[in-house]
Amino acid sequence: MDHKVGLGYDIHRLVHGRRFVLGGLEIPFSKGLAGHSDGDCLVHAIIDALLGASGLGDIGRHFPDTDPRYKGISSLRLLAEAVDRVKRKGFEICNLDSIVVAERPRLSPYIPKMKKILGPALGLGDDELGIKAKTNEGLGSIGEGRAVACWAVAAIRVKRGGKKA
Ligand code: MG
């Protein structure tokens, strides 16, 4: 089969004293996402979707959070490396869709800017990359503003003229 899909999920705690970085974009907010890297759980979910589709495992295998090289790193650098590994395995990315679940801040005004960052990083046009933001209706840890969760699904295919991986 020339087409494959992958699913990614990630959740990070919202804590004081951290920058809030999501989809590669720094967003003004009183809290930020905890994490070994910049905590960008949208990019982490996207990476897991891509690696999963390619049969390459998961983000923890490629970029372990025990590795000091990744401390405080921009997740966009991890994404660039993940995209490179997917391409080296002989695939190209067809499209990617994602959902961010956050009670606050309101994220919809920032989605166009996230797409301007992530589109080129993934080699995808505007209508090939989906980012949707929603609240958790006040329910659970996300609804209480203690965490942000993200889902992503990626479709990839064997590169035209390339070998099947
Ligand atoms: Mg993560």
Side-chain angles (χ1 to χ4, degrees):
M1 190 174 70
D2 286 350
H3 285 74
K4 293 169 181 286
V5 293
L7 175 67
Y9 166 78
D10 199 17
I11 185 166
H12 280 225
R13 286 182 298 118
L14 268 172
V15 295
H16 289 288
R18 294 269 299 178
R19 297 181 307 136
F20 186 78
V21 181
L22 198 67
L25 183 69
E26 185 165 346
I27 293 168
F29 190 52
S30 56
K31 295 180 185 177
L33 296 167
H36 184 66
S37 64
D38 61 5
D40 191 332
C41 56
L42 174 55
V43 170
H44 296 176
I46 289 171
I47 290 171
D48 256 352
L50 293 170
L51 294 174
S54 314
L56 286 168
D58 66 18
I59 189 169
R61 179 171 132 197
H62 290 261
F63 312 110
D65 64 7
T66 49
D67 190 330
R69 280 181 302 165
Y70 303 129
K71 187 167 168 54
I73 197 173
S74 166
S75 295
L76 290 174
R77 288 180 56 193
L78 306 182
L79 178 62
E81 179 59 33
V83 167
D84 197 51
R85 291 179 193 186
V86 169
K87 287 181 176 169
R88 285 206 306 264
K89 210 176 172 196
F91 294 110
E92 59 188 5
I93 303 164
C94 303
N95 78 301
L96 190 137
D97 195 17
S98 63
I99 300 175
V100 180
V101 191
E103 209 67 21
R104 284 178 54 230
R106 192 169 161 263
L107 294 169
S108 54
Y110 299 103
I111 288 176
K113 281 185 185 163
M114 290 183 199
K115 289 184 70 172
K116 280 207 167 74
I117 295 167
L118 296 177
L122 293 160
L124 295 176
D126 199 54
D127 58 356
E128 297 164 330
L129 171 62
I131 304 173
K132 305 188 291 290
K134 58 202 300 164
T135 73
N136 214 38
E137 294 286 335
L139 295 166
S141 55
I142 298 168
E144 290 161 8
R146 295 192 284 120
V148 172
C150 298
W151 300 83
V153 59
I156 64 172
R157 68 180 161 230
V158 175
K159 211 176 289 177
R160 225 166 281 169
K163 267 195 325 197
K164 194 167 177 176

